[in-house]
Amino acid sequence: MILSRQIVPLFLILANSFSFAQVISLKSNQVTVNLQDVKKGDTLAAPTIKWETPLEEAVTLKDGRFTMRVLVTSQSKLKQVTITLKEKQGDEEIFVKKLESGIVDVSRNSLLVEKTYTFDRGVNVIEVEVENANGIKSKSSKLAYVNLLQLKEKKNGEKAKPSVVLPEGPVTFHPLNPHYFLYNKKPTILVGASEHYGAVVNKAFDFKKYLETVSRNGLNYVRVYGGTYIEKVGDFGIQRNTLAPAASNLVLPWKRSETPGYFLGGNKFDINQWDENYFSRLKDFLSFANQKNIIVEFVLFSSFYGSGWKYSPFNPSNNVNKTNPIKQELIHTLNNGNIINEQEKYVRKIVNELNGFDNLYFEIQNEPWADQIDTIFVTNEYDVDKKWTSRIQVVSDLSKTWQAKVSDWIKDEEKLMAKKHLISEDVSNFSYPIAEPNSNVDVFNFHYATRQSVQLNYYLNRPIGFNETGFSGKSDLVYRRQAWRFLMEGGAVFNQLDFSFSVGKEIGNDSTYKSPGGGSIELRSQLGIMKSLFDRFDFTQLRPDKTILIASPSYHAQAIGNGKDMWMIYLESMSTKSNTLQLSLQDDKTYEVEWMEVSKGKVLEKRQFAGNALKPPAQQQDKVAIIRLVKPTK
């Protein structure tokens, strides 16, 4: 992806003088424009576009800098020159933004366009369009590959088509399909089951058993808090809460002082001194997760809800460093006195200490809307009690500004470091059409998400995450369906907040827990089966498909596939009868369908079929069909 994802219209009006330069700074990239008059010469009957630099159709950029020099001419006068940026995903070119639209002085027949861009990693398409006074247009484009592709020489010295050389390093979005991730040079989704985020700060919790269990269940993601927010036993109705350790088992980034008086027991903190025991445990956690091929979403901050500020080391009552007494709702804003300095020191320390890990990305703040609500949308007009579960709570501008500052700290700290990590952001509960996304943010998360959260934000061309479940009882069926619905819509992250993990029950076998959510051995197995089915697809080609299903009577149905020769259709039965699906396939082709029920992964049926009518097996369980085009044998 090039430049910022925020759409910023830019119009260059070319008046009497054609000698000017303009610099536009978006994100960390610069665009320099130099349009100069060219002496009139022989012209052609229609607009022509002559690339003087680069001459190659595709160029590979190690540092991201792309310089172009283009001569445009026309026998009739030039009217307009437009330069457009597109992003290439597989065989598709997706419009990103119009960079310049220059209205040319009608007395001119030729123009020299010189530009320099700095691109982000990915496949960038730069298109030049010229229109003359007669309305005739010409187009020409070049490809720029940044840290992604290399051009191999054929034996005769000619340039071959670009071959993919995927970048190494930390987990990132996949450059060929940025709705999904790239890790260890493989496309992937992240599916996990996390304890209540206290695995590092709670010394009594055996994180090795926990991570081994997650990996054994076929999952590859966990979420963990950094220590700026903890809880006490009983908060949110959670009785065996890993985020509420006993005072003797609490380890945070800061050392204890010699002064008693911390709210939850023990001495106050000295936030000018780092506790190396914490950082040693944190690195051990990430190292073991890496051995198990597990990605860690590290949450830097969290809202404090009703009482959490009382437990924070940044609270002046809990440290010896005289932080300012600030209202709880202002802690995660720029209006928080000298606490902003402590927050910055903490972020930079964490980023610096963890730079060497590939299996990591940073989340700025958990549920920022809980402390800073700006707008509330009603999702259920029949809820007269106005419960939060019927409202979409959106973060305030104060919160957004502070989160942008935190993301700047991360970017700045990693600027000269070897590895660059993704940044994620919690957007809202349920769903919300993201407006003015922070250009530093790579992953957009929702809690208790609906599939609309993916639909509304798919245009961002970034991974959309559902990184916390809950408040729907203990039924495995509810959470399994949430996972399937979200991923079938094109989501990239699903995390089950799993309360079956607790101290002494690190293998996730606590069946008597009290909490506002679920989690079980059986559910983790079902999520592992789901992930294994998705892993059978090439994620670089995977898209939600709204065209293949014409009718699905008595089913909740969703489809995803590559649009050509492989699809997956997910069905939830809403009737005791099995009704026929109407599909949109090629009538003259033969297809193979494999039906599986999703809770055990059992194959129900496998056969070939032709036409557009497909009858599912009679079993009433939720099921999935994997459809492949049968290619004729030679």
Side-chain angles (χ1 to χ4, degrees), residues 217 524-533 598-601:
N217 291 143
R524 291 193 301 274
S525 173
Q526 293 169 17
L527 296 178
I529 290 169
M530 177 188 67
K531 183 180 182 300
S532 69
L533 288 174
V598 298
S599 65
K600 301 294 184 184

Side-chain angles (χ1 to χ4, degrees), residues 197 223 225 366-367 446-448 466-470 495 497:
Y197 315 137
R223 189 171 183 245
Y225 282 7
N366 175 67
E367 297 188 349
F446 293 83
H447 288 191
Y448 326 123
F466 180 170
N467 69 339
E468 182 175 297
T469 60
N495 176 47
L497 180 49

Side-chain angles (χ1 to χ4, degrees), residues 574-591:
M574 303 175 69
S575 171
T576 57
K577 297 180 179 179
S578 177
N579 294 291
T580 300
L581 304 177
Q582 297 298 320
L583 307 180
S584 176
L585 295 171
Q586 298 182 58
D587 291 331
D588 59 342
K589 302 292 185 182
T590 300
Y591 298 88

Side-chain angles (χ1 to χ4, degrees), residues 1 51 91 100 173 217 286 321 327 394 400 502 508 569:
M1 184 72 172
W51 290 82
D91 296 329
E100 277 86 44
F173 53 83
N217 291 143
L286 280 160
N321 309 96
K327 292 181 179 180
V394 183
K400 289 179 182 178
S502 59
I569 297 176

Side-chain angles (χ1 to χ4, degrees), residues 83-136:
I83 301 174
T84 302
L85 170 69
K86 297 182 179 181
E87 183 177 274
K88 192 171 181 64
Q89 299 179 11
D91 296 329
E92 300 181 31
E93 289 182 4
I94 299 175
F95 174 80
V96 178
K97 66 177 64 175
K98 186 180 291 183
L99 292 178
E100 277 86 44
S101 182
I103 302 173
V104 180
D105 188 322
V106 293
S107 66
R108 304 291 176 177
N109 291 80
S110 60
L111 193 68
L112 182 66
V113 180
E114 292 183 287
K115 297 172 62 64
T116 300
Y117 298 97
T118 300
F119 292 167
D120 282 343
R121 183 168 61 198
V123 185
N124 304 283
V125 182
I126 306 92
E127 182 181 86
V128 178
E129 181 180 89
V130 182
E131 181 180 3
N132 65 19
N134 295 328
I136 302 173

Side-chain angles (χ1 to χ4, degrees), residues 13 60 80 104 130 142 144 162 166 257 292 395 416 442 449 478 485-486 504 559 568 612:
I13 309 301
T60 301
Q80 183 161 297
V104 180
V130 182
K142 298 286 185 179
L166 295 171
S257 71
K292 298 300 178 181
V395 297
L416 300 179
D442 307 288
V478 170
R485 292 171 185 175
F486 188 79
M568 183 158 60
N612 287 297

Side-chain angles (χ1 to χ4, degrees), residues 136-152:
I136 302 173
K137 298 180 180 180
S138 298
K139 291 184 180 180
S140 181
S141 64
K142 298 286 185 179
L143 293 176
Y145 304 106
V146 183
N147 293 330
L148 173 63
L149 304 178
Q150 64 182 11
L151 299 177
K152 294 183 178 179

Side-chain angles (χ1 to χ4, degrees), residues 9 79 115 152 188 267 280 327 458 501 570 583-584 602:
K79 179 181 178 183
K115 297 172 62 64
K152 294 183 178 179
T188 189
N267 290 348
S280 177
K327 292 181 179 180
Y458 201 76
F501 290 110
Y570 167 68
L583 307 180
S584 176
K602 179 183 177 181

